[in-house]
Amino acid sequence: MAKRKKDDEYRTFQDEWTEEFAFVERAGSAVCLMCNDKIASMKRSNVKRHFDTRHATFASKYPAGDSRKKACQELLSRVQASQQQLHVWTRQGDYNSASFAGSLAIVRNGKPFTDGEYAKTLMLDVANELFDDLPNKDKIIKRIQDMPLSARTVHDRTIMMAKQVEETQVKDINAAPFFSLALDESTDVSHLAQ
Ligand SMILES: [Zn+2]
């Protein structure tokens, strides 16, 4: 009963959710550090449910307490480091974070680089209707128009992000005291083991 009461009382992000469930607050939502999913209702039970069901492996690998705390802190610092890298990139030339976000969405969904142009047209068409009653509609439309999202841009941004992922992996592997390799064997058409 006490727990339920507590849940109803707090409808704001609780700092301890970061160490308990790997969640952070971003723009008024609770955001999962592992899968980037947003939870709009700031309820402990919802955050916990997401963590327990979607990240059961992580949950059992790092039981609640010190080991969970440490693992979540590591996750957080990794996410912060990659955000800093994104800020560095977006400060250069015409790079802007929106075009990185767009490129990431395209490749995450397994779509071709050329879909950037289509996505931009779609955003413009929708914005034209959706923001029709807003005083700053023109400004919004201009921002979308100025966002670089050509096939070439999506390609370049993707390479930059992929390189950063690889660099982070190498850095993490070098920093780890141990690591394990999982190897599998399969056979080719002539039944030779590969
Ligand atoms: Zn998640």
Short mmCIF file of all heavy atoms in Angstrom, two decimals, residues 23 32-37 50-51 54-55, ligand 1:
data_model
loop_
_atom_site.label_atom_id
_atom_site.label_comp_id
_atom_site.label_asym_id
_atom_site.label_seq_id
_atom_site.Cartn_x
_atom_site.Cartn_y
_atom_site.Cartn_z
N PHE A 23 17.37 4.90 -16.36
CA PHE A 23 16.54 5.92 -17.01
C PHE A 23 17.08 7.32 -16.71
O PHE A 23 17.63 7.54 -15.63
CB PHE A 23 15.08 5.84 -16.52
CG PHE A 23 14.20 5.01 -17.41
CD1 PHE A 23 14.22 3.63 -17.32
CD2 PHE A 23 13.37 5.62 -18.33
CE1 PHE A 23 13.41 2.86 -18.15
CE2 PHE A 23 12.56 4.85 -19.17
CZ PHE A 23 12.58 3.48 -19.08
N CYS A 32 14.90 5.75 -21.57
CA CYS A 32 15.72 4.57 -21.26
C CYS A 32 17.10 4.73 -21.90
O CYS A 32 17.22 5.01 -23.08
CB CYS A 32 15.02 3.32 -21.78
SG CYS A 32 16.01 1.83 -21.58
N LEU A 33 18.15 4.53 -21.10
CA LEU A 33 19.52 4.67 -21.61
C LEU A 33 19.88 3.55 -22.58
O LEU A 33 20.76 3.69 -23.39
CB LEU A 33 20.52 4.66 -20.45
CG LEU A 33 20.63 5.93 -19.61
CD1 LEU A 33 21.52 5.67 -18.41
CD2 LEU A 33 21.17 7.08 -20.43
N MET A 34 19.18 2.42 -22.47
CA MET A 34 19.54 1.28 -23.30
C MET A 34 18.87 1.29 -24.66
O MET A 34 19.50 1.00 -25.66
CB MET A 34 19.24 -0.02 -22.56
CG MET A 34 20.34 -0.37 -21.59
SD MET A 34 20.00 -1.87 -20.67
CE MET A 34 19.03 -1.21 -19.33
N CYS A 35 17.57 1.61 -24.71
CA CYS A 35 16.90 1.53 -26.00
C CYS A 35 16.32 2.86 -26.46
O CYS A 35 15.74 2.95 -27.53
CB CYS A 35 15.80 0.47 -25.97
SG CYS A 35 14.46 0.89 -24.87
N ASN A 36 16.51 3.91 -25.63
CA ASN A 36 16.08 5.25 -26.03
C ASN A 36 14.56 5.42 -26.05
O ASN A 36 14.06 6.41 -26.56
CB ASN A 36 16.66 5.59 -27.40
CG ASN A 36 17.35 6.94 -27.39
OD1 ASN A 36 17.54 7.53 -26.33
ND2 ASN A 36 17.71 7.42 -28.56
N ASP A 37 13.85 4.45 -25.52
CA ASP A 37 12.39 4.56 -25.47
C ASP A 37 11.98 5.61 -24.43
O ASP A 37 12.65 5.78 -23.43
CB ASP A 37 11.77 3.21 -25.06
CG ASP A 37 11.30 2.43 -26.26
OD1 ASP A 37 11.69 2.79 -27.39
OD2 ASP A 37 10.55 1.44 -26.06
N HIS A 50 9.12 -1.40 -17.70
CA HIS A 50 9.92 -1.34 -18.92
C HIS A 50 11.27 -2.04 -18.69
O HIS A 50 11.68 -2.88 -19.47
CB HIS A 50 10.15 0.11 -19.34
CG HIS A 50 11.09 0.24 -20.51
ND1 HIS A 50 10.65 0.38 -21.81
CD2 HIS A 50 12.44 0.22 -20.58
CE1 HIS A 50 11.68 0.43 -22.60
NE2 HIS A 50 12.80 0.35 -21.90
N PHE A 51 11.91 -1.68 -17.60
CA PHE A 51 13.23 -2.25 -17.29
C PHE A 51 13.15 -3.77 -17.11
O PHE A 51 13.94 -4.51 -17.70
CB PHE A 51 13.79 -1.57 -16.03
CG PHE A 51 15.13 -2.09 -15.63
CD1 PHE A 51 16.28 -1.66 -16.27
CD2 PHE A 51 15.26 -3.01 -14.59
CE1 PHE A 51 17.53 -2.14 -15.90
CE2 PHE A 51 16.50 -3.49 -14.21
CZ PHE A 51 17.64 -3.06 -14.87
N ARG A 54 11.75 -5.40 -20.73
CA ARG A 54 12.56 -5.17 -21.94
C ARG A 54 14.04 -5.45 -21.73
O ARG A 54 14.75 -5.73 -22.68
CB ARG A 54 12.36 -3.74 -22.44
CG ARG A 54 10.92 -3.39 -22.75
CD ARG A 54 10.51 -3.92 -24.12
NE ARG A 54 11.21 -3.22 -25.18
CZ ARG A 54 10.82 -2.07 -25.71
NH1 ARG A 54 9.73 -1.50 -25.26
NH2 ARG A 54 11.52 -1.51 -26.66
N HIS A 55 14.50 -5.32 -20.52
CA HIS A 55 15.93 -5.49 -20.27
C HIS A 55 16.18 -6.51 -19.17
O HIS A 55 16.98 -6.29 -18.25
CB HIS A 55 16.57 -4.14 -19.94
CG HIS A 55 16.27 -3.09 -20.97
ND1 HIS A 55 16.75 -3.18 -22.26
CD2 HIS A 55 15.49 -1.99 -20.92
CE1 HIS A 55 16.28 -2.13 -22.96
NE2 HIS A 55 15.52 -1.41 -22.17
ZN ZN B 1 14.76 0.37 -22.68
#
